[in-house]
Amino acid sequence: MAGFFTALAVSFGVIFVAELGDKSQLMALTFATRFRALPVLIGITIATAIVHAVSVAVGYGLGSALPTGWIALIAALAFLAFGLWTLRGDTLTEEERTKAEKTTKSAVVAASVAFFLAELGDKTMLATITLATQYGWFGTWLGSTIGMVAADALAIVVGRQLGKHLPEKAIKYGAAALFFLFGAWLLVEAIVELT
């Protein structure tokens, strides 16, 4: 039971931070300017649950097939790469912005499809795969799904209430620092295990 709560907490924290300033947050805000927030959040939740279920299955399968020292090393390198990716930044393309603004389908379907496609290969999907190699699958799936939905809900609420963007530089540097911290921690674990 302690493993479940650890997986839940770590996955929630990592994915929540990774999602801050991500293009998915920008999409959530864009959808929320056109549709009511609740259907948009339902759509985000459906897409996220599916993408993260696939991510966890891949990560859990890798975790069963590879020795733990090598998994920790791969995870460490992945988290360091996520830190660099976060520093580079993420933007919403004009095509993605146009889709979010001009869709005429129901809000739930439109948000589900858009978020599903946007998350394929995104850093939150890759982070979820990485987390699933280290922690239990159910806690990782639940934590990562809740973390992403919470971060996107925050973007919608803050964006709609304040009419301003989140302070991007502070979020970007804070998220990158946390990725580097997790990467360094896993790198130390990998070195200890492999030597």
Side-chain angles (χ1 to χ4, degrees):
M1 192 56 121
F4 166 78
F5 287 114
T6 301
L8 180 73
V10 170
S11 298
F12 174 85
V14 168
I15 299 304
F16 182 84
V17 169
E19 187 65 9
L20 296 177
D22 192 66
K23 69 180 175 184
S24 301
Q25 267 197 327
L26 300 174
M27 285 179 65
L29 188 54
T30 303
F31 271 106
T33 61
R34 180 170 168 90
F35 301 110
R36 289 189 352 256
L38 185 59
V40 172
L41 280 175
I42 291 170
I44 291 169
T45 303
I46 292 168
T48 301
I50 293 168
V51 169
H52 288 198
V54 171
S55 303
V56 166
V58 170
Y60 194 70
L62 286 175
S64 299
L66 297 174
T68 56
W70 288 105
I71 291 171
L73 180 61
I74 292 167
L77 296 175
F79 274 102
L80 294 173
F82 297 151
L84 293 172
W85 188 345
T86 300
L87 284 176
R88 186 199 75 186
D90 214 355
T91 56
L92 197 59
T93 66
E94 201 53 45
E95 180 184 340
E96 290 168 329
R97 184 182 312 280
T98 302
K99 278 184 188 174
E101 289 172 348
K102 297 195 177 195
T103 186
T104 57
K105 299 175 186 172
S106 89
V108 172
V109 172
S112 293
V113 171
F115 277 84
F116 178 81
L117 295 174
E119 285 305 306
L120 293 177
D122 194 48
K123 69 183 170 191
T124 50
M125 180 183 185
L126 299 175
T128 302
I129 290 171
T130 304
L131 288 165
T133 65
Q134 300 288 311
Y135 301 100
W137 70 270
F138 185 66
T140 300
W141 172 76
L142 189 60
S144 65
T145 300
I146 293 170
M148 186 164 164
V149 172
D152 289 339
L154 177 66
I156 292 169
V157 169
V158 170
R160 291 185 92 174
Q161 296 298 321
L162 302 178
K164 298 177 183 178
H165 296 292
L166 295 169
E168 284 187 44
K169 276 191 175 183
I171 291 168
K172 180 166 64 170
Y173 293 137
L178 286 173
F179 274 123
F180 289 135
L181 181 67
F182 278 118
W185 179 25
L186 288 170
L187 187 59
V188 169
E189 281 186 12
I191 292 169
V192 167
E193 183 131 356
L194 291 172
T195 54

